[in-house]
Amino acid sequence: PRDFLVRRVYDGLMNDSKGRGSSRNGALFLDKLALEANWPGPLKKPAAKKFVNEFVASRRVSELVDGFKRMTTLRNMSDWVEKERFGLPEYLLRACPGSLREGRRLKTKFRLGCHDLRSSSSRTQLVRNAQCPCCKSRESETIQHALLECSAFTKERDTFLERFYELHPIARGLSPEGLCDVLMSDDLPHETENTMYRYLIAISRLRLGILT
């Protein structure tokens, strides 16, 4: 109805002659946005909020998927995240002891592709090649290699995996790739997180010692 406050504000914006083009008034922008979102028409407040939240969530998912295609740093993340998730992953929402936050940061950096391993730094031309500097395997220093294959971290890895397999016996049958996917996932079981963070901190410090 024309006498509703929202309608009066909208009509006022439409009649405002300030500015030009798309910046002429807010109503033109709202019209374009409503058209893009396929706004169904007049809605009561709860229904409007629900529609907006669903639209924003779908846009974020779309932008995330597009980022996976365009950005090489996110090529691993596309296998690790729940693409329909809205908001932060579960592991970032849970409380984390101060002494283990470095481990949680390392996991997040691995997931985002902004880490110090050679597979990332060679892509940005910070080093000549991606070969692992910590062992003699001549393998590319990928996240999977560092976490599950590099001989420089065998002792720390064995300690970590012994505890991990105690908690999740079924994981013994996973390939290194499958196990890496589990460790980097959104929802690694809570009882495993702290153990993994300790492991990430330990091998990160060992690696730094080798390189310096």
PDB file of all heavy atoms in Angstrom, residues 140-160:
ATOM      1  N   SER A 140      57.911 -33.360  -4.276  1.00  0.00           N
ATOM      2  CA  SER A 140      57.420 -32.005  -4.065  1.00  0.00           C
ATOM      3  C   SER A 140      56.966 -31.861  -2.612  1.00  0.00           C
ATOM      4  O   SER A 140      56.336 -32.766  -2.057  1.00  0.00           O
ATOM      5  CB  SER A 140      56.249 -31.720  -5.009  1.00  0.00           C
ATOM      6  OG  SER A 140      55.686 -30.451  -4.750  1.00  0.00           O
ATOM      7  N   GLU A 141      57.302 -30.726  -2.016  1.00  0.00           N
ATOM      8  CA  GLU A 141      56.926 -30.502  -0.612  1.00  0.00           C
ATOM      9  C   GLU A 141      55.487 -30.016  -0.538  1.00  0.00           C
ATOM     10  O   GLU A 141      55.201 -28.845  -0.320  1.00  0.00           O
ATOM     11  CB  GLU A 141      57.863 -29.505   0.060  1.00  0.00           C
ATOM     12  CG  GLU A 141      57.690 -29.479   1.579  1.00  0.00           C
ATOM     13  CD  GLU A 141      58.495 -28.381   2.252  1.00  0.00           C
ATOM     14  OE1 GLU A 141      58.813 -27.353   1.600  1.00  0.00           O
ATOM     15  OE2 GLU A 141      58.811 -28.543   3.442  1.00  0.00           O
ATOM     16  N   THR A 142      54.575 -30.944  -0.705  1.00  0.00           N
ATOM     17  CA  THR A 142      53.148 -30.648  -0.592  1.00  0.00           C
ATOM     18  C   THR A 142      52.710 -30.815   0.853  1.00  0.00           C
ATOM     19  O   THR A 142      53.472 -31.295   1.701  1.00  0.00           O
ATOM     20  CB  THR A 142      52.335 -31.609  -1.470  1.00  0.00           C
ATOM     21  OG1 THR A 142      52.554 -32.959  -0.995  1.00  0.00           O
ATOM     22  CG2 THR A 142      52.742 -31.510  -2.937  1.00  0.00           C
ATOM     23  N   ILE A 143      51.491 -30.451   1.127  1.00  0.00           N
ATOM     24  CA  ILE A 143      50.947 -30.622   2.476  1.00  0.00           C
ATOM     25  C   ILE A 143      50.914 -32.099   2.827  1.00  0.00           C
ATOM     26  O   ILE A 143      51.291 -32.501   3.931  1.00  0.00           O
ATOM     27  CB  ILE A 143      49.538 -30.000   2.565  1.00  0.00           C
ATOM     28  CG1 ILE A 143      49.618 -28.485   2.336  1.00  0.00           C
ATOM     29  CG2 ILE A 143      48.896 -30.301   3.915  1.00  0.00           C
ATOM     30  CD1 ILE A 143      48.285 -27.820   2.121  1.00  0.00           C
ATOM     31  N   GLN A 144      50.465 -32.929   1.890  1.00  0.00           N
ATOM     32  CA  GLN A 144      50.412 -34.369   2.136  1.00  0.00           C
ATOM     33  C   GLN A 144      51.808 -34.930   2.410  1.00  0.00           C
ATOM     34  O   GLN A 144      51.987 -35.738   3.329  1.00  0.00           O
ATOM     35  CB  GLN A 144      49.805 -35.071   0.925  1.00  0.00           C
ATOM     36  CG  GLN A 144      49.736 -36.587   1.063  1.00  0.00           C
ATOM     37  CD  GLN A 144      49.116 -37.245  -0.151  1.00  0.00           C
ATOM     38  OE1 GLN A 144      48.094 -36.809  -0.654  1.00  0.00           O
ATOM     39  NE2 GLN A 144      49.737 -38.309  -0.647  1.00  0.00           N
ATOM     40  N   HIS A 145      52.789 -34.486   1.650  1.00  0.00           N
ATOM     41  CA  HIS A 145      54.151 -34.988   1.857  1.00  0.00           C
ATOM     42  C   HIS A 145      54.669 -34.587   3.237  1.00  0.00           C
ATOM     43  O   HIS A 145      55.225 -35.420   3.974  1.00  0.00           O
ATOM     44  CB  HIS A 145      55.084 -34.437   0.778  1.00  0.00           C
ATOM     45  CG  HIS A 145      56.522 -34.805   0.995  1.00  0.00           C
ATOM     46  ND1 HIS A 145      57.024 -36.050   0.683  1.00  0.00           N
ATOM     47  CD2 HIS A 145      57.572 -34.087   1.522  1.00  0.00           C
ATOM     48  CE1 HIS A 145      58.316 -36.090   0.996  1.00  0.00           C
ATOM     49  NE2 HIS A 145      58.664 -34.914   1.508  1.00  0.00           N
ATOM     50  N   ALA A 146      54.502 -33.315   3.595  1.00  0.00           N
ATOM     51  CA  ALA A 146      55.004 -32.833   4.878  1.00  0.00           C
ATOM     52  C   ALA A 146      54.329 -33.545   6.050  1.00  0.00           C
ATOM     53  O   ALA A 146      54.991 -33.952   7.007  1.00  0.00           O
ATOM     54  CB  ALA A 146      54.802 -31.324   4.985  1.00  0.00           C
ATOM     55  N   LEU A 147      53.023 -33.725   5.976  1.00  0.00           N
ATOM     56  CA  LEU A 147      52.288 -34.301   7.095  1.00  0.00           C
ATOM     57  C   LEU A 147      52.449 -35.814   7.198  1.00  0.00           C
ATOM     58  O   LEU A 147      52.542 -36.355   8.312  1.00  0.00           O
ATOM     59  CB  LEU A 147      50.794 -33.968   6.971  1.00  0.00           C
ATOM     60  CG  LEU A 147      50.296 -32.724   7.728  1.00  0.00           C
ATOM     61  CD1 LEU A 147      51.013 -31.473   7.231  1.00  0.00           C
ATOM     62  CD2 LEU A 147      48.787 -32.582   7.537  1.00  0.00           C
ATOM     63  N   LEU A 148      52.528 -36.503   6.050  1.00  0.00           N
ATOM     64  CA  LEU A 148      52.371 -37.953   6.084  1.00  0.00           C
ATOM     65  C   LEU A 148      53.481 -38.754   5.421  1.00  0.00           C
ATOM     66  O   LEU A 148      53.467 -39.980   5.499  1.00  0.00           O
ATOM     67  CB  LEU A 148      51.031 -38.330   5.434  1.00  0.00           C
ATOM     68  CG  LEU A 148      49.803 -37.703   6.090  1.00  0.00           C
ATOM     69  CD1 LEU A 148      48.572 -37.944   5.235  1.00  0.00           C
ATOM     70  CD2 LEU A 148      49.606 -38.243   7.491  1.00  0.00           C
ATOM     71  N   GLU A 149      54.445 -38.094   4.791  1.00  0.00           N
ATOM     72  CA  GLU A 149      55.429 -38.854   4.030  1.00  0.00           C
ATOM     73  C   GLU A 149      56.880 -38.471   4.303  1.00  0.00           C
ATOM     74  O   GLU A 149      57.773 -39.318   4.198  1.00  0.00           O
ATOM     75  CB  GLU A 149      55.151 -38.692   2.523  1.00  0.00           C
ATOM     76  CG  GLU A 149      53.784 -39.234   2.105  1.00  0.00           C
ATOM     77  CD  GLU A 149      53.347 -38.776   0.724  1.00  0.00           C
ATOM     78  OE1 GLU A 149      54.061 -37.934   0.131  1.00  0.00           O
ATOM     79  OE2 GLU A 149      52.304 -39.234   0.255  1.00  0.00           O
ATOM     80  N   CYS A 150      57.158 -37.239   4.637  1.00  0.00           N
ATOM     81  CA  CYS A 150      58.538 -36.767   4.768  1.00  0.00           C
ATOM     82  C   CYS A 150      59.270 -37.523   5.893  1.00  0.00           C
ATOM     83  O   CYS A 150      58.797 -37.586   7.035  1.00  0.00           O
ATOM     84  CB  CYS A 150      58.571 -35.272   5.047  1.00  0.00           C
ATOM     85  SG  CYS A 150      60.258 -34.596   5.125  1.00  0.00           S
ATOM     86  N   SER A 151      60.433 -38.092   5.557  1.00  0.00           N
ATOM     87  CA  SER A 151      61.178 -38.902   6.525  1.00  0.00           C
ATOM     88  C   SER A 151      61.774 -38.060   7.660  1.00  0.00           C
ATOM     89  O   SER A 151      62.143 -38.594   8.710  1.00  0.00           O
ATOM     90  CB  SER A 151      62.304 -39.657   5.809  1.00  0.00           C
ATOM     91  OG  SER A 151      63.204 -38.754   5.166  1.00  0.00           O
ATOM     92  N   ALA A 152      61.856 -36.747   7.454  1.00  0.00           N
ATOM     93  CA  ALA A 152      62.422 -35.885   8.498  1.00  0.00           C
ATOM     94  C   ALA A 152      61.534 -35.818   9.733  1.00  0.00           C
ATOM     95  O   ALA A 152      62.002 -35.463  10.821  1.00  0.00           O
ATOM     96  CB  ALA A 152      62.647 -34.479   7.941  1.00  0.00           C
ATOM     97  N   PHE A 153      60.270 -36.182   9.580  1.00  0.00           N
ATOM     98  CA  PHE A 153      59.319 -36.049  10.694  1.00  0.00           C
ATOM     99  C   PHE A 153      58.745 -37.402  11.120  1.00  0.00           C
ATOM    100  O   PHE A 153      57.666 -37.469  11.705  1.00  0.00           O
ATOM    101  CB  PHE A 153      58.169 -35.115  10.285  1.00  0.00           C
ATOM    102  CG  PHE A 153      58.619 -33.831   9.649  1.00  0.00           C
ATOM    103  CD1 PHE A 153      58.054 -33.395   8.456  1.00  0.00           C
ATOM    104  CD2 PHE A 153      59.616 -33.071  10.225  1.00  0.00           C
ATOM    105  CE1 PHE A 153      58.469 -32.209   7.863  1.00  0.00           C
ATOM    106  CE2 PHE A 153      60.048 -31.883   9.635  1.00  0.00           C
ATOM    107  CZ  PHE A 153      59.472 -31.454   8.448  1.00  0.00           C
ATOM    108  N   THR A 154      59.468 -38.475  10.829  1.00  0.00           N
ATOM    109  CA  THR A 154      58.946 -39.825  11.081  1.00  0.00           C
ATOM    110  C   THR A 154      58.594 -40.047  12.548  1.00  0.00           C
ATOM    111  O   THR A 154      57.517 -40.578  12.875  1.00  0.00           O
ATOM    112  CB  THR A 154      59.977 -40.880  10.637  1.00  0.00           C
ATOM    113  OG1 THR A 154      60.204 -40.745   9.233  1.00  0.00           O
ATOM    114  CG2 THR A 154      59.466 -42.287  10.930  1.00  0.00           C
ATOM    115  N   LYS A 155      59.476 -39.654  13.450  1.00  0.00           N
ATOM    116  CA  LYS A 155      59.236 -39.884  14.876  1.00  0.00           C
ATOM    117  C   LYS A 155      57.979 -39.164  15.346  1.00  0.00           C
ATOM    118  O   LYS A 155      57.120 -39.750  16.023  1.00  0.00           O
ATOM    119  CB  LYS A 155      60.443 -39.418  15.686  1.00  0.00           C
ATOM    120  CG  LYS A 155      60.291 -39.600  17.187  1.00  0.00           C
ATOM    121  CD  LYS A 155      61.527 -39.092  17.937  1.00  0.00           C
ATOM    122  CE  LYS A 155      61.355 -39.198  19.446  1.00  0.00           C
ATOM    123  NZ  LYS A 155      62.552 -38.669  20.175  1.00  0.00           N
ATOM    124  N   GLU A 156      57.868 -37.895  15.002  1.00  0.00           N
ATOM    125  CA  GLU A 156      56.697 -37.098  15.406  1.00  0.00           C
ATOM    126  C   GLU A 156      55.428 -37.639  14.765  1.00  0.00           C
ATOM    127  O   GLU A 156      54.369 -37.694  15.395  1.00  0.00           O
ATOM    128  CB  GLU A 156      56.916 -35.636  15.013  1.00  0.00           C
ATOM    129  CG  GLU A 156      57.985 -34.912  15.817  1.00  0.00           C
ATOM    130  CD  GLU A 156      59.393 -35.353  15.467  1.00  0.00           C
ATOM    131  OE1 GLU A 156      59.587 -35.900  14.348  1.00  0.00           O
ATOM    132  OE2 GLU A 156      60.285 -35.147  16.295  1.00  0.00           O
ATOM    133  N   ARG A 157      55.541 -38.059  13.509  1.00  0.00           N
ATOM    134  CA  ARG A 157      54.370 -38.586  12.794  1.00  0.00           C
ATOM    135  C   ARG A 157      53.893 -39.891  13.421  1.00  0.00           C
ATOM    136  O   ARG A 157      52.687 -40.107  13.590  1.00  0.00           O
ATOM    137  CB  ARG A 157      54.711 -38.801  11.318  1.00  0.00           C
ATOM    138  CG  ARG A 157      53.527 -39.333  10.494  1.00  0.00           C
ATOM    139  CD  ARG A 157      53.913 -39.581   9.041  1.00  0.00           C
ATOM    140  NE  ARG A 157      54.501 -38.390   8.468  1.00  0.00           N
ATOM    141  CZ  ARG A 157      55.781 -38.289   8.094  1.00  0.00           C
ATOM    142  NH1 ARG A 157      56.601 -39.316   8.226  1.00  0.00           N
ATOM    143  NH2 ARG A 157      56.232 -37.165   7.583  1.00  0.00           N
ATOM    144  N   ASP A 158      54.826 -40.772  13.750  1.00  0.00           N
ATOM    145  CA  ASP A 158      54.448 -42.054  14.350  1.00  0.00           C
ATOM    146  C   ASP A 158      53.719 -41.850  15.672  1.00  0.00           C
ATOM    147  O   ASP A 158      52.731 -42.543  15.970  1.00  0.00           O
ATOM    148  CB  ASP A 158      55.688 -42.921  14.566  1.00  0.00           C
ATOM    149  CG  ASP A 158      56.271 -43.463  13.261  1.00  0.00           C
ATOM    150  OD1 ASP A 158      55.578 -43.372  12.228  1.00  0.00           O
ATOM    151  OD2 ASP A 158      57.411 -43.967  13.281  1.00  0.00           O
ATOM    152  N   THR A 159      54.202 -40.901  16.470  1.00  0.00           N
ATOM    153  CA  THR A 159      53.547 -40.601  17.748  1.00  0.00           C
ATOM    154  C   THR A 159      52.137 -40.080  17.518  1.00  0.00           C
ATOM    155  O   THR A 159      51.186 -40.499  18.200  1.00  0.00           O
ATOM    156  CB  THR A 159      54.370 -39.557  18.535  1.00  0.00           C
ATOM    157  OG1 THR A 159      55.674 -40.060  18.781  1.00  0.00           O
ATOM    158  CG2 THR A 159      53.681 -39.221  19.850  1.00  0.00           C
ATOM    159  N   PHE A 160      52.003 -39.177  16.559  1.00  0.00           N
ATOM    160  CA  PHE A 160      50.692 -38.609  16.251  1.00  0.00           C
ATOM    161  C   PHE A 160      49.740 -39.665  15.727  1.00  0.00           C
ATOM    162  O   PHE A 160      48.590 -39.773  16.184  1.00  0.00           O
ATOM    163  CB  PHE A 160      50.839 -37.485  15.233  1.00  0.00           C
ATOM    164  CG  PHE A 160      49.539 -37.092  14.563  1.00  0.00           C
ATOM    165  CD1 PHE A 160      48.504 -36.537  15.294  1.00  0.00           C
ATOM    166  CD2 PHE A 160      49.357 -37.310  13.204  1.00  0.00           C
ATOM    167  CE1 PHE A 160      47.299 -36.188  14.682  1.00  0.00           C
ATOM    168  CE2 PHE A 160      48.161 -36.967  12.583  1.00  0.00           C
ATOM    169  CZ  PHE A 160      47.132 -36.412  13.325  1.00  0.00           C
TER     170      PHE A 160
END
